[in-house]
Amino acid sequence: MSGTVYLIGSGPGDPGLLTLRGAQLLARADVVLYDGLSNVQMLCHAPTAQQICVGKHGQSRIWRQDEVIAEILRHAQAGRRVARLKGGDPAVFARTAEEVEALQTAGIPFEIVPGITAALAAGSFAGIPITHRGLASAVALVTGHEEPSKAESALDWTALARFPGTLVIYMGVTTVKSWTTALLQAGKPADTPTAIVRRCSLPDQETFHCRLDQVADQLQQL
C-alpha cells in the first residue's frame, strides 16, 4: 500500500503562523521534505520524522523539481506518510501543480494544506492593506522570476501598468531592473508609492518606502 502525501504551506516565516492542520499533519509524518523558505523551527512538530532539506539559497544545493518529486514518490510508494513543507501557500508560485500531477499519476492520496502567502503577510505586517475601499478594489500577484526556459515572457506589463489595484511582485529582487523598467515604459507613473518588505513576519523584518522609479536603486543599497 502506498503512503500519503501532505503538501503543507508553512506561511511567510514566523513559526507561529503555521496552521493547526499543518502542525497536526507534520506530527503524523514519517518523512518531511522542506525547502529554504520554510522556517526550520517548524520541524519541532515532527520530532521523530526523517527531515530532508531540499535546498536553501546560499547554504546548500537547490534540488531540481524532478528530484523533489522523485523523493516524494519514493517514500510514499514505500508506505510512508510524507510531508512536503513549502514556504507561503502551496497554491501560489510553489510548483505544487507539478507535484500534484505526479501524485495523481502514481495513484497516491494527498492533502493540500493552505498557508499564509507572502502578499497577504507583507501587507499586514507592513501595515499596508493591499485592498482599500477608496484606492484599490483588486490585487494582482505577479512573479518577478518566470520559468527560464520560456521563449518569452507570458506577462503583459502594459496591462499590469493599467491594472486598477495593488501589484504584488514575488521573487523580484534579481530582476528588479527589468520589471520596474517594463512598468514605467508601459505608462505606470514613476511616483507610484512602493514598499519593499524583507524577512516578512520575522523579528528582523524591514520595510522600505519609495517611488516605483526608485525601487531598483533602493534594492541595490540593501
Side-chain angles (χ1 to χ4, degrees), residues 18-87:
L18 176 70
T19 65
L20 288 173
R21 183 60 176 168
Q24 291 169 354
L25 295 182
L26 281 173
R28 296 181 190 176
D30 301 305
V31 182
V32 180
L33 278 74
Y34 65 98
D35 58 41
L37 295 176
S38 304
N39 192 323
V40 294
Q41 293 179 39
M42 297 181 188
L43 297 177
C44 70
H45 297 290
T48 62
Q50 180 182 357
Q51 299 171 358
I52 303 171
C53 179
V54 298
K56 184 175 179 64
H57 286 287
Q59 296 186 21
S60 62
R61 182 181 75 85
I62 306 298
W63 290 30
R64 299 190 314 272
Q65 184 62 29
D66 64 318
E67 293 177 306
V68 174
I69 290 173
E71 189 74 354
I72 292 172
L73 295 179
R74 182 172 74 84
H75 288 288
Q77 289 170 338
R80 303 184 182 102
R81 289 167 295 194
V82 183
R84 172 72 174 98
L85 192 61
K86 299 169 172 285

Side-chain angles (χ1 to χ4, degrees), residues 155-170:
L155 295 172
D156 186 339
W157 291 105
T158 299
L160 289 169
R162 296 195 304 265
F163 183 73
T166 303
L167 298 179
V168 182
I169 310 295
Y170 283 69

